[in-house]
């Protein structure tokens, strides 16, 4: 669990979701409907809980499609990285890269799959993020004090009292102690939304698919030995290279038992000849706050992005500006966290840079969260399209997730953004198995195999077939929503009595229902 109780709380501005925007999938001019909020700052635990309720970020703008109204429903999809098995097409991509690095083979085979998140519309529908950017000053966002009221938990009882005592205490900026709901997920526990709708099998009814398969002790010892060899060569630390040539596994040890299919690692970490014509390395650099290595490579990375947008997406030269690149793919509300029980690189926002022979050819924008690696975007040099870098980077990110899991056991999923069944060219994400889709009504995970027949019948579907099931994380007490007003933190029940002008209860109720009770009590909702 990454979220620390002593850090600064998340601060958001909610914008609602009244306006429609152009859809990048069906090209409907106003059919893309979503709720949105601007995140001035956000803890990785809060963002983890939000994406487990269907939210997704573009820069500092966080949005949630209005699933039963938007023209192309977008379902959150995650891959179970620990159980991932390479498909035939995945193996072709991995072998193609290996042949290119080791032999210089440039056979241009067109991949059947789309690059992971190569469509800008999958991350930010049109330009609503720019229209909705916050205008609040940093001073207004710095809490000075916190108001507590007795009995906020029972708002109905509060109304019966004639006088309410208000206790005001000073709070040091940056040192807010955030009370956690007793029902919230604790360390090592998944959030409510990490549940799946299928129950584990009963004893004697087959293997428990939620657990890794049994393995021989000999294989486990061999794997541990190989992990030690790789310990100082994996690129999980800031700027450390992950080389495809020098960090190779010993060929005799990298062989997979004949009765087991090859893993991604078997294809990536293989011995290469000393005279290999190319060298590929992967560097993970923190993008927010920007590290020294991120700053040093910013211009080169931007040039790859600009060329990618112009060639692949046909953008005019004046559209992919440095400002757009920064706001879209570099700015992030996520606070960097480095807990002792987390991955060595820490949690937060990163750029995973692919260096070929000393130059950047692709960049995967990712968030490392308590339970997952979340793919944000990918851009690459169009000259290397023949390497199917979208698919290759997705497979590398799955392998990266598995590596991080060794240090952070809770981190075991790879989130691929949104799955859009109504748009055939966006169905490629369903090929990364096993994967789950998020039920848009109860926020439980459902195996994609159970979802596809429902989506064939209707583009919008509730995946949870239990008619009595409800959103377990739904808002139960509006008065407990935390508000930041005039640099003072207070529960909504107190703010509502002090507010002048028309009531904003409907907007706050909508916000709380979308983020859920737990996040609404942890995050601060800014009110002017």
């Amino acid at each position: 669990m990454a979220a620390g109780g002593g850090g600064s709380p998340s601060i958001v501005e909610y914008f609602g979701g009244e306006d429609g925007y152009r859809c990048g999938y069906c090209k409907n001019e106003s059919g893309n409907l979503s709720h949105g909020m601007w995140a001035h700052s956000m803890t990785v635990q809060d963002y983890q809980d939000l994406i487990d309720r269907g939210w997704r970020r573009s820069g500092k703008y966080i949005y949630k499609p209005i699933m039963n109204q938007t023209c192309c429903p977008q379902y959150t999809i995650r891959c179970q990285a620990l159980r991932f098995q390479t498909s035939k097409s995945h193996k072709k991509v991995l072998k193609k890269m290996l042949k290119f690095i080791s032999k210089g083979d440039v056979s241009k085979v067109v991949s059947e799959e789309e690059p992971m998140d190569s469509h800008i519309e999958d991350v930010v529908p049109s330009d609503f993020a720019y229209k909705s950017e916050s205008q609040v000053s940093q001073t207004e966002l710095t809490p000075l004090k916190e108001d507590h009221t007795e009995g906020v938990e029972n708002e109905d009882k509060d109304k019966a009292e004639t006088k309410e005592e208000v206790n005001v205490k000073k709070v040091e900026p940056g040192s807010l102690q955030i009370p956690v709901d007793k029902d919230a997920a604790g360390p090592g526990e998944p959030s409510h939304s990490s549940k799946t709708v299928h129950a584990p099998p009963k004893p004697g009814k087959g293997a428990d698919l939620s657990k890794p398969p049994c393995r021989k002790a000999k294989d486990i010892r061999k794997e541990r030995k190989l992990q030690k060899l790789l310990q100082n060569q994996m690129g999980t630390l800031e700027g450390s290279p992950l080389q495809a040539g020098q960090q190779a596994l010993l060929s005799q040890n990298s062989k997979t038992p004949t009765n087991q299919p090859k893993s991604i690692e078997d294809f990536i970490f293989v011995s290469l000849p000393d005279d290999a014509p190319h060298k590929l390395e992967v560097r993970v650099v923190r993008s927010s706050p920007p590290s020294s290595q991120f700053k040093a490579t910013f211009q080169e990375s931007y040039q790859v992005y600009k060329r990618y947008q112009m060639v692949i997406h046909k953008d005019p030269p004046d559209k992919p500006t440095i400002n757009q690149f920064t706001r879209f793919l570099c700015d992030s509300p996520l606070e960097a966290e480095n807990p002792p029980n987390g991955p060595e690189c820490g949690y937060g926002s990163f750029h995973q840079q692919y260096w070929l022979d000393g130059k950047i050819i692709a960049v995967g924008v990712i968030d490392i969260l308590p339970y997952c690696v979340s793919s944000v975007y990918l851009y690459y040099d169009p000259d290397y399209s023949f390497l199917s870098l979208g698919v290759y980077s997705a497979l590398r990110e799955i392998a990266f997730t598995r590596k991080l899991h060794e240090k952070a056991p809770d981190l075991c999923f790879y989130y691929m953004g949104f799955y859009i069944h109504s748009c055939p060219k966006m169905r490629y994400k369903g090929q990364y198995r096993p994967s789950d889709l998020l039920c848009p009504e109860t926020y439980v995970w459902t195996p994609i195999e159970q979802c596809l027949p429902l989506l064939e019948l209707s583009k919008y579907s509730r995946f949870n077939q239990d008619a009595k099931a409800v959103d377990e994380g739904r808002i139960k007490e509006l008065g407990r929503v935390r508000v930041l007003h005039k640099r003072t933190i207070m529960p909504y029940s107190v703010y509502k009595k002090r507010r002048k002008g028309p009531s904003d209860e409907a907007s706050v109720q909508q916000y709380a229902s979308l983020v859920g009770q737990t996040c609404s009590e942890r995050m601060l909702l800014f009110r002017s």
Side-chain angles (χ1 to χ4, degrees), residues 455-482:
L455 294 175
E456 285 294 324
L457 297 175
S458 172
K459 64 181 182 180
Y460 173 77
S461 178
R462 169 190 167 114
F463 300 139
N464 191 337
Q465 296 303 292
D466 181 357
K468 296 181 180 179
V470 295
D471 170 18
E472 295 293 339
R474 67 191 182 282
I475 182 73
K476 300 180 182 71
E477 298 179 65
L478 189 63
R480 293 173 63 97
V481 173
R482 301 188 86 209

Side-chain angles (χ1 to χ4, degrees), residues 17-33:
E18 292 75 27
D19 300 327
Y21 295 89
R22 182 177 184 275
C23 177
Y25 307 109
C26 69
K27 311 306 178 184
N28 186 311
E29 288 301 323
S30 60
N32 195 337
L33 299 170

Side-chain angles (χ1 to χ4, degrees), residues 63-75:
Y63 65 100
K64 184 182 190 302
I66 305 176
M67 297 292 283
N68 60 351
Q69 296 180 34
T70 191
C71 54
C72 297
Q74 302 164 62
Y75 299 91

